[in-house]
Amino acid sequence: MKKSLLALSVSIALLNISGIAQAKPTTKINAEPNATAGKTKSESCAGCHGEGGNSMMPLFPKLADQNEEYLVKQMEAFKDGSRVGPTMSAMVATLTSKDFRDIASYYEKQKVTANSLPEFDIDDDESGSDLSEEEAVAATEAKKQAAQEQQDAMLAQGYDIYRNGDLESEISACIACHGPYGEGNKPASFPALQGQHADYLIKTLTDFKNNARTKDSENIMHMVAKKMTEKEIKAVAYHISIMKSN
């Protein structure tokens, strides 16, 4: 049985948590986020990320219920160029640090919508035209059963990777940084994953694997994703996409 890499992952995560600098009282007051103002400032974001941060398009991430610190860090990265994304870089170019805080505060307070189970296509078989009606019905049912088994196997694999990782492949358990229900870790600025689109997660993990998202070999996600197969990435993405709080 696969052994959990939880302890190792937690150790790595703790080593990557940045120290929190103490700010002067006046700076702290001025930097206090305003979610109400953030709602107004986020109106231009709705075109891609949806009303209230619940994107309807699979390749655009949901921002609802996302950790404020993580969102701020990503907007800062797009603005300073450390994260590449022409559209996002243009969107945040004129925004201030206070704008980032307000927008992130608004999204963190929104409820993320649930996703439906992944669907697997049933291949049409032209040879089935020679079958009797009874045989055709039986063949269709067999394909549905096969698709269901495929779905169950994929979700089970994703669950196992998320909670236990894979010792043989040196894949760390996702739960260590992202929590048992994908709620993330706000103090460490690790993102919430619960309810995120599977297609977006697949693209993100693939980008980390191929260095398209980061070229930092010490980045946790880079180290994890580069060891994952395409099948493992898809499995864990689909599992995460349907996770719900206890």
Side-chain angles (χ1 to χ4, degrees):
M1 181 180 293
K2 297 175 182 177
K3 297 181 180 178
S4 172
L5 296 181
L6 178 59
L8 174 60
S9 300
V10 170
S11 298
I12 295 175
L14 291 175
L15 289 173
N16 281 272
I17 298 176
S18 300
I20 301 175
Q22 294 184 349
K24 296 180 181 180
T26 52
T27 302
K28 192 172 183 179
I29 292 174
N30 291 335
E32 191 69 24
N34 184 326
T36 301
K39 180 178 181 179
T40 300
K41 294 176 181 180
S42 70
E43 289 178 354
S44 59
C45 309
C48 292
H49 298 290
E51 188 70 24
N54 280 296
S55 166
M56 298 297 289
M57 292 173 278
L59 285 176
F60 291 149
K62 295 182 183 180
L63 304 182
D65 202 26
Q66 185 56 266
N67 297 332
E68 179 186 323
E69 292 299 323
Y70 175 76
L71 287 176
V72 170
K73 283 183 64 177
Q74 299 313 302
M75 286 187 279
E76 289 175 341
F78 278 120
K79 185 167 183 174
D80 66 25
S82 56
R83 182 174 174 184
V84 179
T87 300
M88 278 301 304
S89 295
M91 293 295 290
V92 302
T94 60
L95 298 181
T96 66
S97 296
K98 181 62 165 59
D99 293 332
F100 292 162
R101 290 281 170 191
D102 292 345
I103 292 171
S105 178
Y106 165 67
Y107 280 130
E108 186 182 60
K109 292 176 170 57
Q110 307 311 301
K111 183 176 178 59
V112 68
T113 54
N115 295 317
S116 58
L117 286 168
E119 295 183 1
F120 292 84
D121 295 331
I122 300 176
D123 296 330
D124 292 327
D125 187 356
E126 293 184 0
S127 63
S129 59
D130 296 329
L131 300 177
S132 67
E133 182 177 348
E134 184 177 339
E135 290 173 330
V137 170
T140 298
E141 288 303 315
K143 290 177 182 178
K144 287 182 179 179
Q145 180 63 32
Q148 182 64 55
E149 291 174 357
Q150 183 182 2
Q151 179 190 81
D152 292 344
M154 175 172 285
L155 292 176
Q157 181 184 27
Y159 173 88
D160 190 41
I161 293 173
Y162 187 89
R163 298 194 69 85
N164 303 314
D166 189 319
L167 185 60
E168 185 176 345
S169 300
E170 298 183 340
I171 299 173
S172 300
C174 312
I175 192 174
C177 295
H178 298 288
Y181 303 106
E183 69 274 23
N185 184 324
K186 185 174 181 178
S189 296
F190 294 150
L193 302 179
Q194 183 188 108
Q196 190 57 264
H197 292 303
D199 287 353
Y200 175 74
L201 292 171
I202 291 170
K203 181 182 184 303
T204 299
L205 285 168
T206 302
D207 284 348
F208 275 119
K209 179 181 177 69
N210 298 332
N211 292 333
R213 177 73 179 259
T214 179
K215 298 185 183 303
D216 179 6
S217 61
E218 298 302 315
N219 178 278
I220 297 175
M221 285 308 305
H222 170 84
M223 291 190 290
V224 173
K226 72 177 183 179
K227 299 170 184 175
M228 297 178 73
T229 65
E230 182 178 336
K231 182 179 178 181
E232 288 169 332
I233 286 175
K234 189 173 182 179
V236 77
Y238 275 120
H239 167 66
I240 291 171
S241 73
I242 60 171
M243 290 176 68
K244 297 179 180 179
S245 298
N246 190 13

